[in-house]
mmCIF file of all heavy atoms in Angstrom:
data_model
loop_
_atom_site.group_PDB
_atom_site.id
_atom_site.type_symbol
_atom_site.label_atom_id
_atom_site.label_comp_id
_atom_site.label_asym_id
_atom_site.label_seq_id
_atom_site.Cartn_x
_atom_site.Cartn_y
_atom_site.Cartn_z
ATOM 1 N N SER T 39 50.524 -15.785 -31.523
ATOM 2 C CA SER T 39 50.614 -17.137 -32.046
ATOM 3 C C SER T 39 51.879 -17.789 -31.520
ATOM 4 O O SER T 39 52.913 -17.138 -31.368
ATOM 5 C CB SER T 39 50.643 -17.113 -33.583
ATOM 6 O OG SER T 39 49.453 -16.572 -34.091
ATOM 7 N N GLU T 40 51.779 -19.089 -31.228
ATOM 8 C CA GLU T 40 52.926 -19.829 -30.730
ATOM 9 C C GLU T 40 53.554 -20.631 -31.863
ATOM 10 O O GLU T 40 52.870 -21.289 -32.629
ATOM 11 C CB GLU T 40 52.487 -20.792 -29.616
ATOM 12 C CG GLU T 40 51.998 -20.103 -28.356
ATOM 13 C CD GLU T 40 53.117 -19.439 -27.574
ATOM 14 O OE1 GLU T 40 54.277 -19.839 -27.762
ATOM 15 O OE2 GLU T 40 52.824 -18.528 -26.786
ATOM 16 N N THR T 41 54.861 -20.559 -32.000
ATOM 17 C CA THR T 41 55.567 -21.362 -32.980
ATOM 18 C C THR T 41 56.934 -21.712 -32.431
ATOM 19 O O THR T 41 57.743 -20.830 -32.139
ATOM 20 C CB THR T 41 55.711 -20.636 -34.336
ATOM 21 O OG1 THR T 41 56.542 -21.422 -35.186
ATOM 22 C CG2 THR T 41 56.281 -19.248 -34.195
ATOM 23 N N ASN T 42 57.174 -23.023 -32.242
ATOM 24 C CA ASN T 42 58.463 -23.488 -31.733
ATOM 25 C C ASN T 42 58.911 -22.714 -30.496
ATOM 26 O O ASN T 42 60.030 -22.210 -30.407
ATOM 27 C CB ASN T 42 59.529 -23.385 -32.829
ATOM 28 C CG ASN T 42 59.246 -24.314 -33.982
ATOM 29 O OD1 ASN T 42 58.656 -25.370 -33.808
ATOM 30 N ND2 ASN T 42 59.649 -23.920 -35.174
ATOM 31 N N ASN T 43 57.978 -22.609 -29.529
ATOM 32 C CA ASN T 43 58.244 -21.939 -28.252
ATOM 33 C C ASN T 43 58.495 -20.439 -28.394
ATOM 34 O O ASN T 43 59.042 -19.812 -27.496
ATOM 35 C CB ASN T 43 59.439 -22.591 -27.532
ATOM 36 C CG ASN T 43 59.177 -24.046 -27.201
ATOM 37 O OD1 ASN T 43 58.073 -24.393 -26.785
ATOM 38 N ND2 ASN T 43 60.179 -24.886 -27.393
ATOM 39 N N LYS T 44 58.117 -19.861 -29.519
ATOM 40 C CA LYS T 44 58.233 -18.421 -29.705
ATOM 41 C C LYS T 44 56.835 -17.815 -29.725
ATOM 42 O O LYS T 44 55.902 -18.406 -30.244
ATOM 43 C CB LYS T 44 58.942 -18.093 -31.023
ATOM 44 C CG LYS T 44 60.394 -18.526 -31.087
ATOM 45 C CD LYS T 44 60.990 -18.109 -32.417
ATOM 46 C CE LYS T 44 62.454 -18.511 -32.507
ATOM 47 N NZ LYS T 44 63.044 -18.103 -33.805
ATOM 48 N N ILE T 46 54.682 -14.851 -31.217
ATOM 49 C CA ILE T 46 54.736 -13.881 -32.308
ATOM 50 C C ILE T 46 53.372 -13.216 -32.443
ATOM 51 O O ILE T 46 52.335 -13.880 -32.365
ATOM 52 C CB ILE T 46 55.127 -14.560 -33.633
ATOM 53 C CG1 ILE T 46 56.522 -15.184 -33.504
ATOM 54 C CG2 ILE T 46 55.106 -13.566 -34.787
ATOM 55 C CD1 ILE T 46 56.966 -15.939 -34.730
ATOM 56 N N TYR T 50 50.961 -10.679 -37.869
ATOM 57 C CA TYR T 50 51.855 -11.050 -38.962
ATOM 58 C C TYR T 50 51.304 -12.199 -39.797
ATOM 59 O O TYR T 50 51.757 -12.434 -40.916
ATOM 60 C CB TYR T 50 53.230 -11.438 -38.419
ATOM 61 C CG TYR T 50 54.022 -10.286 -37.853
ATOM 62 C CD1 TYR T 50 54.142 -10.112 -36.473
ATOM 63 C CD2 TYR T 50 54.644 -9.367 -38.687
ATOM 64 C CE1 TYR T 50 54.871 -9.059 -35.948
ATOM 65 C CE2 TYR T 50 55.373 -8.308 -38.170
ATOM 66 C CZ TYR T 50 55.480 -8.155 -36.801
ATOM 67 O OH TYR T 50 56.198 -7.103 -36.286
ATOM 68 N N PHE T 51 50.353 -12.954 -39.238
ATOM 69 C CA PHE T 51 49.839 -14.137 -39.922
ATOM 70 C C PHE T 51 48.341 -14.055 -40.200
ATOM 71 O O PHE T 51 47.755 -14.994 -40.718
ATOM 72 C CB PHE T 51 50.157 -15.390 -39.100
ATOM 73 C CG PHE T 51 51.627 -15.550 -38.828
ATOM 74 C CD1 PHE T 51 52.160 -15.260 -37.587
ATOM 75 C CD2 PHE T 51 52.488 -15.958 -39.834
ATOM 76 C CE1 PHE T 51 53.518 -15.385 -37.340
ATOM 77 C CE2 PHE T 51 53.844 -16.088 -39.601
ATOM 78 C CZ PHE T 51 54.361 -15.803 -38.352
ATOM 79 N N ILE T 89 58.561 -10.461 -41.522
ATOM 80 C CA ILE T 89 58.072 -11.840 -41.505
ATOM 81 C C ILE T 89 57.175 -12.052 -42.721
ATOM 82 O O ILE T 89 56.197 -11.323 -42.912
ATOM 83 C CB ILE T 89 57.288 -12.137 -40.221
ATOM 84 C CG1 ILE T 89 58.219 -12.076 -39.009
ATOM 85 C CG2 ILE T 89 56.608 -13.504 -40.302
ATOM 86 C CD1 ILE T 89 57.511 -12.252 -37.677
ATOM 87 N N ALA T 90 57.526 -13.027 -43.545
ATOM 88 C CA ALA T 90 56.698 -13.365 -44.704
ATOM 89 C C ALA T 90 55.558 -14.259 -44.224
ATOM 90 O O ALA T 90 55.740 -15.456 -44.009
ATOM 91 C CB ALA T 90 57.527 -14.068 -45.772
ATOM 92 N N GLY T 91 54.386 -13.667 -44.036
ATOM 93 C CA GLY T 91 53.269 -14.415 -43.477
ATOM 94 C C GLY T 91 52.497 -15.231 -44.495
ATOM 95 O O GLY T 91 51.894 -16.247 -44.159
ATOM 96 N N TRP T 92 52.525 -14.799 -45.770
ATOM 97 C CA TRP T 92 51.713 -15.442 -46.801
ATOM 98 C C TRP T 92 52.473 -15.480 -48.122
ATOM 99 O O TRP T 92 53.355 -14.661 -48.367
ATOM 100 C CB TRP T 92 50.401 -14.676 -47.014
ATOM 101 C CG TRP T 92 49.536 -14.650 -45.794
ATOM 102 C CD1 TRP T 92 49.654 -13.808 -44.717
ATOM 103 C CD2 TRP T 92 48.431 -15.510 -45.510
ATOM 104 N NE1 TRP T 92 48.685 -14.091 -43.792
ATOM 105 C CE2 TRP T 92 47.921 -15.126 -44.247
ATOM 106 C CE3 TRP T 92 47.817 -16.555 -46.203
ATOM 107 C CZ2 TRP T 92 46.828 -15.760 -43.660
ATOM 108 C CZ3 TRP T 92 46.722 -17.182 -45.615
ATOM 109 C CH2 TRP T 92 46.245 -16.790 -44.363
ATOM 110 N N SER T 107 49.018 -19.484 -46.334
ATOM 111 C CA SER T 107 49.823 -19.068 -45.189
ATOM 112 C C SER T 107 51.181 -19.756 -45.176
ATOM 113 O O SER T 107 51.317 -20.925 -45.544
ATOM 114 C CB SER T 107 49.074 -19.397 -43.890
ATOM 115 O OG SER T 107 49.885 -19.112 -42.766
ATOM 116 N N LEU T 108 52.200 -19.019 -44.711
ATOM 117 C CA LEU T 108 53.539 -19.569 -44.513
ATOM 118 C C LEU T 108 53.838 -19.752 -43.029
ATOM 119 O O LEU T 108 54.991 -19.927 -42.640
ATOM 120 C CB LEU T 108 54.589 -18.633 -45.128
ATOM 121 C CG LEU T 108 54.561 -18.493 -46.645
ATOM 122 C CD1 LEU T 108 55.561 -17.441 -47.101
ATOM 123 C CD2 LEU T 108 54.859 -19.826 -47.315
ATOM 124 N N PHE T 109 52.821 -19.748 -42.202
ATOM 125 C CA PHE T 109 53.012 -19.760 -40.763
ATOM 126 C C PHE T 109 53.519 -21.101 -40.242
ATOM 127 O O PHE T 109 52.921 -22.144 -40.507
ATOM 128 C CB PHE T 109 51.698 -19.414 -40.071
ATOM 129 C CG PHE T 109 51.747 -19.513 -38.567
ATOM 130 C CD1 PHE T 109 52.685 -18.803 -37.852
ATOM 131 C CD2 PHE T 109 50.855 -20.315 -37.891
ATOM 132 C CE1 PHE T 109 52.739 -18.888 -36.476
ATOM 133 C CE2 PHE T 109 50.894 -20.405 -36.514
ATOM 134 C CZ PHE T 109 51.843 -19.695 -35.801
ATOM 135 N N ASP T 110 54.630 -21.070 -39.518
ATOM 136 C CA ASP T 110 55.090 -22.166 -38.664
ATOM 137 C C ASP T 110 55.655 -23.386 -39.385
ATOM 138 O O ASP T 110 55.938 -24.383 -38.759
ATOM 139 C CB ASP T 110 53.949 -22.624 -37.743
ATOM 140 C CG ASP T 110 54.480 -23.403 -36.542
ATOM 141 O OD1 ASP T 110 55.646 -23.175 -36.174
ATOM 142 O OD2 ASP T 110 53.752 -24.243 -35.997
ATOM 143 N N LYS T 111 55.828 -23.338 -40.705
ATOM 144 C CA LYS T 111 56.353 -24.510 -41.394
ATOM 145 C C LYS T 111 57.221 -24.081 -42.571
ATOM 146 O O LYS T 111 57.082 -22.989 -43.111
ATOM 147 C CB LYS T 111 55.210 -25.387 -41.940
ATOM 148 C CG LYS T 111 54.296 -25.986 -40.886
ATOM 149 C CD LYS T 111 54.951 -27.146 -40.169
ATOM 150 C CE LYS T 111 53.974 -27.801 -39.210
ATOM 151 N NZ LYS T 111 54.564 -28.937 -38.508
ATOM 152 N N THR T 112 58.106 -24.983 -42.999
ATOM 153 C CA THR T 112 58.817 -24.782 -44.254
ATOM 154 C C THR T 112 58.377 -25.808 -45.291
ATOM 155 O O THR T 112 58.710 -25.694 -46.456
ATOM 156 C CB THR T 112 60.340 -24.900 -44.047
ATOM 157 O OG1 THR T 112 60.634 -26.137 -43.401
ATOM 158 C CG2 THR T 112 60.850 -23.745 -43.209
ATOM 159 N N GLU T 113 57.643 -26.821 -44.859
ATOM 160 C CA GLU T 113 57.051 -27.775 -45.798
ATOM 161 C C GLU T 113 55.772 -28.302 -45.159
ATOM 162 O O GLU T 113 55.813 -28.971 -44.140
ATOM 163 C CB GLU T 113 58.008 -28.928 -46.100
ATOM 164 C CG GLU T 113 57.466 -29.892 -47.140
ATOM 165 C CD GLU T 113 58.492 -30.937 -47.547
ATOM 166 O OE1 GLU T 113 59.672 -30.762 -47.227
ATOM 167 O OE2 GLU T 113 58.094 -31.920 -48.180
ATOM 168 N N PHE T 114 54.626 -28.015 -45.745
ATOM 169 C CA PHE T 114 53.374 -28.333 -45.070
ATOM 170 C C PHE T 114 52.195 -28.193 -46.028
ATOM 171 O O PHE T 114 52.323 -27.704 -47.145
ATOM 172 C CB PHE T 114 53.158 -27.401 -43.881
ATOM 173 C CG PHE T 114 52.958 -25.957 -44.261
ATOM 174 C CD1 PHE T 114 51.737 -25.338 -44.102
ATOM 175 C CD2 PHE T 114 54.007 -25.216 -44.771
ATOM 176 C CE1 PHE T 114 51.555 -24.006 -44.452
ATOM 177 C CE2 PHE T 114 53.842 -23.881 -45.121
ATOM 178 C CZ PHE T 114 52.615 -23.281 -44.964
ATOM 179 N N TYR T 115 51.032 -28.650 -45.554
ATOM 180 C CA TYR T 115 49.789 -28.455 -46.286
ATOM 181 C C TYR T 115 49.090 -27.215 -45.753
ATOM 182 O O TYR T 115 49.053 -26.976 -44.544
ATOM 183 C CB TYR T 115 48.874 -29.676 -46.138
ATOM 184 C CG TYR T 115 48.889 -30.554 -47.355
ATOM 185 C CD1 TYR T 115 49.990 -31.366 -47.628
ATOM 186 C CD2 TYR T 115 47.832 -30.554 -48.252
ATOM 187 C CE1 TYR T 115 50.018 -32.154 -48.758
ATOM 188 C CE2 TYR T 115 47.852 -31.348 -49.376
ATOM 189 C CZ TYR T 115 48.949 -32.146 -49.631
ATOM 190 O OH TYR T 115 48.977 -32.913 -50.755
ATOM 191 N N VAL T 143 59.219 -24.583 -49.138
ATOM 192 C CA VAL T 143 59.998 -23.346 -49.104
ATOM 193 C C VAL T 143 61.466 -23.692 -48.965
ATOM 194 O O VAL T 143 61.847 -24.483 -48.103
ATOM 195 C CB VAL T 143 59.567 -22.456 -47.920
ATOM 196 C CG1 VAL T 143 60.341 -21.141 -47.932
ATOM 197 C CG2 VAL T 143 58.071 -22.191 -47.954
ATOM 198 N N ASP T 253 64.913 -19.146 -43.030
ATOM 199 C CA ASP T 253 63.962 -19.828 -42.157
ATOM 200 C C ASP T 253 64.464 -19.737 -40.723
ATOM 201 O O ASP T 253 65.533 -20.249 -40.397
ATOM 202 C CB ASP T 253 63.823 -21.292 -42.597
ATOM 203 C CG ASP T 253 63.048 -22.128 -41.581
ATOM 204 O OD1 ASP T 253 62.233 -21.551 -40.847
ATOM 205 O OD2 ASP T 253 63.277 -23.352 -41.533
ATOM 206 N N ASP T 254 63.700 -19.082 -39.871
ATOM 207 C CA ASP T 254 64.048 -18.930 -38.460
ATOM 208 C C ASP T 254 63.132 -19.829 -37.636
ATOM 209 O O ASP T 254 62.097 -19.397 -37.133
ATOM 210 C CB ASP T 254 63.900 -17.465 -38.043
ATOM 211 C CG ASP T 254 64.320 -17.226 -36.594
ATOM 212 O OD1 ASP T 254 64.868 -18.161 -35.974
ATOM 213 O OD2 ASP T 254 64.086 -16.111 -36.085
ATOM 214 N N ASP T 255 63.491 -21.119 -37.538
ATOM 215 C CA ASP T 255 62.699 -22.093 -36.777
ATOM 216 C C ASP T 255 61.238 -22.106 -37.209
ATOM 217 O O ASP T 255 60.321 -22.041 -36.389
ATOM 218 C CB ASP T 255 62.791 -21.810 -35.276
ATOM 219 C CG ASP T 255 64.169 -22.107 -34.714
ATOM 220 O OD1 ASP T 255 64.856 -22.979 -35.288
ATOM 221 O OD2 ASP T 255 64.555 -21.471 -33.721
ATOM 222 N N GLY T 256 61.000 -22.179 -38.501
ATOM 223 C CA GLY T 256 59.642 -22.281 -39.015
ATOM 224 C C GLY T 256 58.999 -20.958 -39.363
ATOM 225 O O GLY T 256 57.890 -20.930 -39.892
ATOM 226 N N VAL T 257 59.675 -19.852 -39.084
ATOM 227 C CA VAL T 257 59.169 -18.530 -39.457
ATOM 228 C C VAL T 257 60.009 -18.016 -40.619
ATOM 229 O O VAL T 257 61.236 -17.925 -40.515
ATOM 230 C CB VAL T 257 59.243 -17.540 -38.272
ATOM 231 C CG1 VAL T 257 58.759 -16.159 -38.702
ATOM 232 C CG2 VAL T 257 58.420 -18.060 -37.102
ATOM 233 N N ILE T 258 59.356 -17.710 -41.734
ATOM 234 C CA ILE T 258 60.067 -17.233 -42.915
ATOM 235 C C ILE T 258 60.302 -15.734 -42.773
ATOM 236 O O ILE T 258 59.353 -14.953 -42.679
ATOM 237 C CB ILE T 258 59.271 -17.526 -44.203
ATOM 238 C CG1 ILE T 258 58.875 -19.001 -44.256
ATOM 239 C CG2 ILE T 258 60.091 -17.133 -45.426
ATOM 240 C CD1 ILE T 258 60.048 -19.962 -44.200
#
Side-chain angles (χ1 to χ4, degrees):
S39 297
E40 293 289 338
T41 173
N42 295 330
N43 298 319
K44 294 182 179 180
I46 299 177
Y50 290 104
F51 303 104
I89 294 176
W92 298 81
S107 175
L108 294 175
F109 175 56
D110 199 26
K111 297 284 185 179
T112 53
E113 184 173 346
F114 66 111
Y115 258 74
V143 183
D253 169 26
D254 183 8
D255 290 332
V257 178
I258 308 302

